[in-house]
Amino acid sequence: MYRFLLTPRWWVINVFTLLAIPVCLFMGSWQLSRFETRVDTHNQQQDDASRERKAAARPLSDLLPVTAKTSGERATATGRYDTTHQLLVPDRRLDGRDGFYVLTLLRVDGDVGGGKGTADGKAGAGAKALPVVRGWLPGDADDPAAAAKVPAPPSGEVTVTGALQASEHQGGDGVSAAGGLPRGQLGMISAASLVNLVPYQVYDAWVTSSQAPGALRPVPPTAAEGTGLDIKAFQNLGYTGEWFVFAGFVIFMWFRLFRREAETARDLALGITPPEPAAPTVPGADRTPDDAERTRSPSATA
């Protein structure tokens, strides 16, 4: 009764099933491992952040370039704020409230760990700028009343300590790369977006200051891209379920086809043949010529 399993058609079905199930299980397990890795990374970041808040800040030069490991670590840099290029970064949320970042460029010498300015009070010739988010304010960056609450950056040489962050990119949380922002505003914190706004080089990194003056509130560091429990982590979890469902669907369809074929083979073995489908009837096909003549209307015979 099960000889149909040896037919070419069922050879194809069986081979496809035997290959599809392990592939689905492998892909589901791989997506699950990706989710577990992100969870472990998130927990590790929480532990590292707790230790870093207690650890001493390291010179910026020791932490560049920014990687997933150095992102969020406490960095320190000494220089002078460029008070003529303070920028507002609109549409940034903190604790569920709308607001904006206050970003000021810190001119530092080539020795970013503790460079000194020149005798005339300006940064040296080899100085670069480090974007520093001095804090966050609630409100709309386009509102003059909200912008008036931004405290002026301190003059003279300062030492900034804060969490190191990688440059933002399109698609990041809160990032606006559409352009058309008013003068004095910035949609994306990155060297690429700042290079056309300032007449000097900018580090491919930024720092969120741990101390916010005046009405500003410190901006907490964000997790490095590809780590932590972000939307991509839960996408991995969703893909895990989808692959396991695909594996179950393949098994279900094979069993359904097998049962239908087995029932057909059993009926044939018992001499039970499936009824032939009835041929479609054509209206008037069973009428004789005399019947057609008798049903003809009088108007047709006139």
Side-chain angles (χ1 to χ4, degrees):
M1 187 172 60
Y2 301 125
R3 290 179 181 177
F4 62 86
L5 292 173
L6 301 178
T7 61
R9 172 172 172 267
W10 270 94
W11 269 106
V12 174
I13 294 175
N14 292 332
V15 170
F16 173 80
T17 302
L18 292 176
L19 292 177
I21 293 175
V23 169
C24 292
L25 294 178
F26 170 78
M27 293 301 297
S29 301
W30 179 73
Q31 290 289 351
L32 182 60
S33 67
R34 294 278 296 172
F35 174 75
E36 292 175 343
T37 299
R38 291 177 181 273
V39 172
D40 294 339
T41 304
H42 173 73
N43 295 334
Q44 183 66 36
Q45 286 176 342
Q46 296 297 317
D47 296 338
D48 293 343
S50 179
R51 287 194 299 267
E52 288 162 4
R53 282 192 292 267
K54 302 176 182 178
R58 298 166 57 188
L60 180 64
S61 57
D62 295 346
L63 301 175
L64 294 177
V66 185
T67 63
K69 182 176 179 58
T70 60
S71 178
E73 291 195 19
R74 283 165 51 84
T76 180
T78 301
R80 296 175 181 272
Y81 279 123
D82 183 359
T83 58
T84 61
H85 290 96
Q86 181 160 269
L87 300 167
L88 305 181
V89 186
D91 302 327
R92 298 303 174 103
R93 296 179 63 83
L94 185 63
D95 295 336
R97 301 176 62 189
D98 294 328
F100 56 91
Y101 292 167
V102 177
L103 183 144
T104 312
L105 294 163
L106 182 71
R107 300 290 303 276
V108 296
D109 287 338
D111 179 12
V112 296
K116 302 294 183 179
T118 58
D120 60 358
K122 297 180 180 179
K128 294 176 67 174
L130 174 67
V132 177
V133 172
R134 298 171 54 224
W136 173 90
L137 271 177
D140 190 349
D142 296 328
D143 184 5
K149 298 178 181 178
V150 176
S155 59
E157 189 175 85
V158 296
T159 297
V160 175
T161 301
L164 184 66
Q165 301 281 266
S167 290
E168 296 180 333
H169 59 87
Q170 295 185 17
D173 187 20
V175 174
S176 173
L181 293 174
R183 183 180 180 87
Q185 294 188 18
L186 181 71
M188 180 170 58
I189 307 174
S190 69
S193 59
L194 285 165
V195 69
N196 295 323
L197 300 179
V198 294
Y200 40 76
Q201 293 183 343
V202 180
Y203 284 102
D204 191 18
W206 57 284
V207 167
T208 170
S209 178
S210 57
Q211 296 181 348
L216 296 178
R217 292 180 55 185
V219 176
T222 58
E225 182 182 3
T227 62
L229 294 179
D230 54 9
I231 185 63
K232 292 183 179 180
F234 293 101
Q235 285 179 344
N236 292 135
L237 188 60
Y239 295 151
T240 299
E242 288 182 359
W243 282 111
F244 288 149
V245 168
F246 291 159
F249 180 74
V250 171
I251 296 174
F252 168 76
M253 289 303 299
W254 183 92
F255 180 75
R256 183 176 181 181
L257 292 174
F258 171 80
R259 186 177 64 177
R260 186 176 65 180
E261 198 84 12
E263 290 175 351
T264 302
R266 184 175 63 250
D267 292 343
L268 292 175
L270 296 175
I272 303 174
T273 58
E276 295 291 336
T281 58
V282 178
D286 56 343
R287 293 183 179 181
T288 63
D290 294 339
D291 293 337
E293 185 67 25
R294 285 195 296 269
T295 57
R296 185 179 302 173
S297 64
S299 58
T301 57

